[in-house]
Amino acid sequence: MGLFDRLFERKRGRPEADEGDIVQFAAERAAEIVDPRLKLVPRYVERLRPALETTIEYIRATVAGLGAPREASAAAWSTDPTIRAVFARADDVAAVVSRAREVQKFFRQNAAASEVFATLGMAFEERTVLAPALVDGVLRQDVARTQLSFGDHRVAVVGATELEFRRAIGHLMFNQYLLNTAARLAGQDKQRKDLTVTRSLLRAKLRMLQGREATLADELADGESADPVAAIADLERQLERTDEAFEDLGGGVDALEKEFEILAQTLSHPGQSVEIAERRLRIDHYNTVQTDGGGDEIEFSVLRIATDPPRTRAAILVRFARTDLRAGGLNFGAAERAL
């Protein structure tokens, strides 16, 4: 049983040893993805344990807090305000989900499956519009209201059961933390290389000034020549600051410790890398937010991922029936009923 199989099956009274196995597995996975040399850090697993326990609890709580899967079908579009809010037409539901390669692949590989559970991710925008509204009992035509729009629908995570695809979401979250760590380390590698170049140039200029030599650019520069003593002092200060910055990034064994610190920091603050917040709003049939208690309630998740640039997406969990699957524009369920 893998890490994320066990992650969501913890029960009260389960031995602490099982939790230790999860931490051990997660630590090995982190080193495997970020940098295998991390295993050489003294007491690697023991020191990383608090950060991993924080991340594991965050993933458990976040995934458990996601809303229940909704039926994704033309019929549901008529009865479920959330499905109606995210799709413009009833026919769009099956058309969008059927186009997803993950859904097609799932049904090809699971011939006996009658439905699939999946996450439906979407671009999400809240914009201000002018619309009619009652203000102090008077109908006004130009009241600023908030209107929602959803687009760029993409089906990502799929599973045969709700538990299976919730596990998959947790797995993806953990992978995101590791990838964010790798991105930060890559940024530091670039800084280290840039500082190396800067330090080499400063040292070369310093040696030249100390030898009372100049370059063609120096001779052709506008204005009076700089005082050599002051120029040397300025270069020495720049070189000292560069050396300090280089030391902060670490090198050799110190560099490995820095990598470990960045990994531990990322895992200690999982909400800074991935945040999933539930939104509940009341809207009318035009997706305009209602603040007076009218309209229908909808619920969806908003995902904020600390990539470069940061990404924000809306998402809902859905159930999609094989009978609604379309291929080449054909609805298999409708064709079977017609026959």
Side-chain angles (χ1 to χ4, degrees):
M1 190 182 292
L3 165 65
F4 294 96
D5 290 337
R6 292 174 292 182
L7 195 59
F8 305 110
E9 292 180 346
R10 187 186 63 172
K11 300 176 182 177
R12 279 185 193 172
R14 173 162 284 192
E16 289 293 329
D18 282 11
E19 291 295 292
D21 290 345
I22 293 174
V23 170
Q24 178 74 35
F25 188 99
E28 292 176 359
R29 172 70 173 169
E32 175 188 342
I33 297 300
V34 176
D35 185 347
R37 297 178 305 157
L38 283 167
K39 293 181 181 180
L40 300 177
V41 172
R43 299 167 37 246
Y44 167 65
V45 176
E46 181 182 346
R47 291 170 58 193
L48 194 60
R49 180 182 300 277
L52 283 170
E53 289 175 344
T54 297
T55 287
I56 289 169
E57 287 304 318
Y58 181 81
I59 292 174
R60 281 173 170 156
T62 300
V63 174
L66 297 175
R70 299 175 178 277
E71 178 186 336
S73 67
W77 188 89
S78 300
T79 59
D80 186 337
T82 298
I83 295 295
R84 187 167 57 247
V86 302
F87 289 103
R89 303 178 306 161
D91 286 346
D92 291 341
V93 183
V96 167
V97 181
S98 295
R99 282 199 300 267
R101 293 180 180 177
E102 291 297 320
V103 171
Q104 296 173 11
K105 179 180 177 181
F106 174 85
F107 281 125
R108 283 199 307 269
Q109 295 180 347
N110 298 271
S114 60
E115 64 180 2
V116 63
F117 291 82
T119 58
L120 176 66
M122 300 157 286
F124 165 63
E125 181 183 3
E126 294 179 277
R127 60 176 180 267
T128 301
V129 298
L130 298 179
L134 283 174
V135 179
D136 298 328
V138 178
L139 181 63
R140 292 180 51 183
Q141 300 295 322
D142 56 353
V143 179
R145 308 290 293 275
T146 299
Q147 193 171 67
L148 312 181
S149 64
F150 300 87
D152 187 28
H153 300 74
R154 297 186 184 182
V155 176
V157 187
V158 302
T161 66
E162 182 177 348
L163 178 60
E164 181 180 310
F165 94 104
R166 285 182 187 269
R167 286 173 182 162
I169 294 172
H171 195 159
L172 292 176
M173 289 178 66
F174 190 72
N175 282 348
Q176 188 67 53
Y177 301 136
L178 302 185
L179 187 61
N180 282 12
T181 300
R184 290 182 61 185
L185 294 178
Q188 290 213 341
D189 285 343
K190 184 179 184 304
Q191 283 183 300
R192 192 177 286 107
K193 291 176 182 177
D194 291 344
L195 286 172
T196 299
V197 172
T198 299
R199 185 165 60 179
S200 296
L201 289 173
L202 289 173
R203 286 174 173 172
K205 288 181 179 179
L206 183 59
R207 286 192 293 268
M208 192 170 289
L209 282 174
Q210 289 171 336
R212 298 183 180 182
E213 297 182 32
T215 65
L216 181 61
D218 293 330
E219 294 298 324
L220 298 178
D222 296 332
E224 296 183 5
S225 299
D227 176 18
V229 175
I232 288 174
D234 181 57
L235 280 173
E236 287 176 338
R237 286 192 295 270
Q238 291 184 54
L239 189 57
E240 183 179 356
R241 288 195 295 268
T242 302
D243 287 340
E244 290 174 354
F246 203 93
E247 288 178 8
D248 288 340
L249 291 175
V253 176
D254 288 340
L256 200 55
E257 278 290 339
K258 288 291 184 182
E259 286 191 15
F260 174 83
E261 290 174 7
I262 290 174
L263 173 61
Q265 184 182 50
T266 302
L267 296 175
S268 295
H269 303 88
Q272 294 180 2
S273 292
V274 178
E275 180 187 11
I276 303 180
E278 294 299 298
R279 294 286 303 273
R280 289 183 177 84
L281 300 169
R282 300 193 71 85
I283 63 170
D284 62 14
H285 283 258
Y286 299 99
N287 278 13
T288 304
V289 176
Q290 305 296 298
T291 57
D292 57 2
D296 298 308
E297 184 176 83
I298 65 170
E299 180 180 359
F300 57 95
S301 301
V302 176
L303 290 73
R304 295 181 177 87
I305 306 174
T307 53
D308 186 17
R311 298 190 64 193
T312 299
R313 300 275 289 176
I316 59 174
L317 311 184
V318 298
R319 290 183 295 106
F320 184 71
R322 178 188 290 272
T323 53
D324 288 324
L325 182 66
R326 299 181 182 183
L330 177 63
N331 182 321
F332 288 150
E336 289 176 358
R337 288 191 293 273
L339 292 173

